Amino acid sequence: MYTTELSKSAEVRAIEDPELLAAFEARVAADEFIEPKDWMPEAYRRTLTRQISQHAHSEIVGMLPEGNWITRAPSLRRKAILLAKVQDEAGHGLYLYCAAETLGTSREEMIEALHSGKAKYSTIFNYPTLTWADIGAIGWLVDGAAIMNQVPLQRTSYGPYARAMVRVCKEESFHQRQGYELMMAMANGTPEQQRMAQDALDRWWWPSLMMFGPPDADSPNTAQSMRWRIKRETNDELRQKFVDISVLQAEYLGLKVPDADLRWNEAKGGYDYGEIDWDEFYAVVKGEGPVARERMAARRQAWEDGAWVREAASAHQAKRAARKAA
Ligand code: FAQ
């Protein structure tokens, strides 16, 4: 369920009713939303379950690097902003689990897949937050990359996913701005704060570019997901847009993007950028990121610590049902 299933899509196509398949593809081509009770090819359902659940896991695991700084935020204002942001990420995870559940997989199954290491989540959250400037860099770059990827997903072909993205994008936009505003304060601050801001950019730049996934030529899912309008833009197209916007934002901050090969390319109307370390990306995807073990241990612990809440909720539900039946 959670790994690339497209190798099986030819097989699935062969057993699926050609008329239903043709009608489905015509609806997608006409930009109609596909809804939970509509007929859909099994491979479409599996790809969406994989992508939406991975996205949900990313939001939930993504609370950890920033949550780590709530008690150390340097002022009440910064603490209130960070608390609100981290709570938003929890909300995003919950809408996304709900959207994925409409495809027929239970939340327990999805969470079990995360905790057992079967399901992926974004590589970016396997890097540590070492200084307060990292909180600015995450808002600016990580939320910035997330929005770049998620704005087109408001037009993804699956209705519940598209609708969840509308609110998520509004909130991500606030997250990006709070991060950039924090970076502005650091970049205009003392020499030490400026050094911290540059160091955060140096460490978060390349992992942020990796968030968009492998190059299109090595992406097993992109071609089919573009045909089914699950993805509306490819990994490389979105990465390019992100580079073009972020370079200007770094210049405004007076910070240097850590890429010696970065050049404006007049012909393409965008920046050429250096080679991404794909070996690092695939190692982090495999679970070898710098703080991958710590992240999973924290999630499993949170799940165990929450057992009493789940038990109390089930007991309450059973009591109400019994009262209603009496
Ligand atoms: N990390 O064929 P593709 C956020 C996997 S939300 C880990 O290109 P696809 C908010 C991929 O699953 C961030 N794995 O795959 C926030 C596939 O593996 P599989 C998350 C990755 O799906 C901010 C394989 O590589 N956003 O940050 C990654 O067509 C701040 C081949 O790749 C979303 O999930 C990666 N970076 O395209 C929260 C957005 N990239 O399953 C807190 C929705 C690829 O075949 C604080 N998702 N892989 O074995 C998408 O748009 C897509 O799923 C992509 C990947 C673009 C991520």
Side-chain angles (χ1 to χ4, degrees), residues 157-204:
S157 55
Y158 188 55
Y161 192 22
R163 289 188 288 274
M165 282 300 106
V166 173
R167 175 155 175 188
V168 169
C169 285
K170 284 189 179 141
E171 292 176 349
E172 295 289 20
S173 166
F174 149 68
H175 299 170
Q176 196 274 349
R177 283 169 202 199
Q178 68 80 36
Y180 194 69
E181 194 255 353
L182 200 165
M183 288 305 274
M184 283 194 335
M186 302 287 288
N188 293 314
T190 64
E192 180 56 19
Q193 287 172 321
Q194 289 167 359
R195 269 196 298 278
M196 284 168 69
Q198 181 63 54
D199 169 61
L201 170 58
D202 291 347
R203 284 181 291 105
W204 290 93

Side-chain angles (χ1 to χ4, degrees), residues 187-253:
N188 293 314
T190 64
E192 180 56 19
Q193 287 172 321
Q194 289 167 359
R195 269 196 298 278
M196 284 168 69
Q198 181 63 54
D199 169 61
L201 170 58
D202 291 347
R203 284 181 291 105
W204 290 93
W205 176 254
W206 293 105
S208 298
L209 297 194
M210 293 175 195
M211 285 177 72
F212 295 95
D216 294 349
D218 301 324
S219 160
N221 299 295
T222 292
Q224 181 64 77
S225 287
M226 291 291 286
R227 270 198 294 279
W228 275 332
R229 303 198 177 177
I230 291 175
K231 286 166 93 164
R232 306 300 309 235
E233 291 181 56
T234 73
N235 300 358
D236 286 333
E237 285 165 358
L238 292 169
R239 191 171 9 250
Q240 182 68 53
K241 282 191 183 175
F242 176 74
V243 168
D244 293 343
I245 284 185
S246 306
V247 168
L248 299 178
Q249 291 172 341
E251 270 171 22
Y252 184 76
L253 291 172

Side-chain angles (χ1 to χ4, degrees), residues 2 4 50 54 120-121 123 143 149 213 219-221 231 235:
Y2 287 96
T4 298
R50 176 186 64 76
Q54 170 180 303
K120 296 182 167 74
Y121 59 90
T123 43
D143 286 279
N149 167 280
S219 160
N221 299 295
K231 286 166 93 164
N235 300 358

